[in-house]
Amino acid sequence: MVLLGVNIDHVATVRQARRGDVPSVVEAALAAVKGGADSITAHLREDRRHIQDADVAALKRALKVRLNLEMAPTEEMVRVARVVRPASVCLVPERRQELTTEGGLDVLSHLKRFKSVTEKIKTKGILVSYFIDPEPALVEAAKAAGADAVELHTGAYSRAASPDAQHDELKKIQAAAARARELGLTLNAGHGLDYDNVGPVAHVAEVNELNIGFSIIGRALFVGLEQAVKEMRLKMAAV
Ligand code: PXP
């Protein structure tokens, strides 16, 4: 069965609109777990626009499921990860002006730096995943840099303008996933997945876990978070 990681950043986005204590990201994470989330992801961005340092620590204390910390491969974030010790870290590129993570890591251009960052995180017993575009060469570079897992960026698949274009993007995901399996990497995927487009990605044979945030949090406004997660699980399982 494909696992579901729920990204709760946008609960913090709502909270930060008033800079208060509610809605609570810990309460949201626990509701997501009740609905069937296998792990919780939080992205601590350099600009702290949604998740705050205290959230990451509180999530680590409260959760019985895995905490996946999404972060840029910077010295500051490596220090945070080594203190918090989440189950896994997903390294992502970060640009200050972007609305969300726009592209995958450029592993080919920064292999040496990523290798060093990865080693520093792994010595604390934390699994390291690289968020990459679905290209076999990037999967190979992630392996060379010491990653345990790759998370394939499904943004292009999710934004595809036609069924044919979406099919082409799915083919890229399948090819990259096959390469990851050959290299012994755990294969995750995410970004832009929603209730309508999740099915084909959930059925890519190598997929271990999907990480989904925005669509679930949006749906939760109408049906509650626990139910929104349950509905996503059903969509993932549907044939
Ligand atoms: N995976 C990664 C690495 C991401 O950066 C994001 C967005 O924060 C997601 C998954 C979830 O994307 P979405 O919120 O579009 O479901």
Side-chain angles (χ1 to χ4, degrees):
M1 198 181 63
V2 174
L3 304 175
L4 172 61
V6 174
N7 179 315
I8 48 146
D9 292 349
H10 295 308
V11 175
T13 301
V14 174
R15 182 195 60 195
Q16 293 308 102
R18 292 292 165 92
R19 304 274 191 280
D21 297 328
V22 292
S24 153
V25 294
V26 169
E27 205 179 327
L30 296 175
V33 171
K34 230 172 153 191
D38 297 289
S39 69
I40 296 295
T41 293
H43 184 177
L44 186 65
R45 293 186 74 101
E46 185 192 12
D47 63 10
R48 307 299 198 269
R49 70 172 71 154
H50 39 52
I51 294 290
Q52 307 295 305
D53 296 64
D55 293 327
V56 179
L59 286 166
K60 176 71 197 306
R61 280 195 303 274
L63 287 176
K64 293 202 170 65
V65 300
R66 286 171 290 116
L67 172 64
N68 176 43
L69 176 63
E70 226 185 281
M71 56 177 237
T74 62
E75 289 305 319
E76 182 203 10
M77 288 302 154
V78 169
R79 277 196 297 278
V80 172
R82 286 170 59 91
V83 171
V84 175
R85 289 191 176 201
S88 58
V89 153
C90 181
L91 296 178
V92 298
E94 242 178 60
R95 293 176 205 90
R96 259 173 197 264
Q97 303 307 325
E98 68 189 0
L99 289 178
T100 178
T101 317
E102 280 165 2
L105 283 174
D106 182 1
V107 193
L108 293 165
S109 306
H110 305 283
L111 193 75
K112 220 172 131 194
R113 185 163 67 86
F114 290 168
K115 200 170 176 183
S116 146
V117 164
T118 301
E119 272 163 17
K120 285 180 196 153
I121 300 169
K122 282 174 74 163
T123 54
K124 289 288 180 187
I126 303 164
L127 294 173
V128 179
S129 174
Y130 283 22
F131 186 52
I132 55 170
D133 291 334
E135 292 171 27
L138 292 171
V139 175
E140 287 159 18
K143 176 74 182 178
D148 302 290
V150 288
E151 180 171 330
L152 299 180
H153 195 319
T154 51
Y157 164 85
S158 302
R159 287 191 310 271
S162 67
D164 279 354
Q166 191 170 60
H167 184 73
D168 290 347
E169 293 301 332
L170 186 64
K171 288 261 173 237
K172 289 185 197 164
I173 292 168
Q174 286 166 334
R179 190 70 188 119
R181 177 156 69 185
E182 283 164 9
L183 295 173
L185 291 166
T186 299
L187 192 279
N188 303 322
H191 210 286
L193 295 176
D194 61 29
Y195 294 86
D196 295 324
N197 67 23
V198 74
V201 179
H203 286 83
V204 172
E206 294 83 359
V207 171
N208 166 64
E209 186 164 56
L210 298 181
N211 286 318
I212 307 179
F214 186 78
S215 61
I216 292 178
I217 303 302
R219 177 80 182 137
L221 292 174
F222 303 100
V223 299
L225 189 46
E226 189 181 331
Q227 177 64 16
V229 174
K230 278 187 187 153
E231 289 177 10
M232 185 58 81
R233 290 217 71 107
L234 287 175
K235 290 285 184 180
M236 286 166 60
V239 278

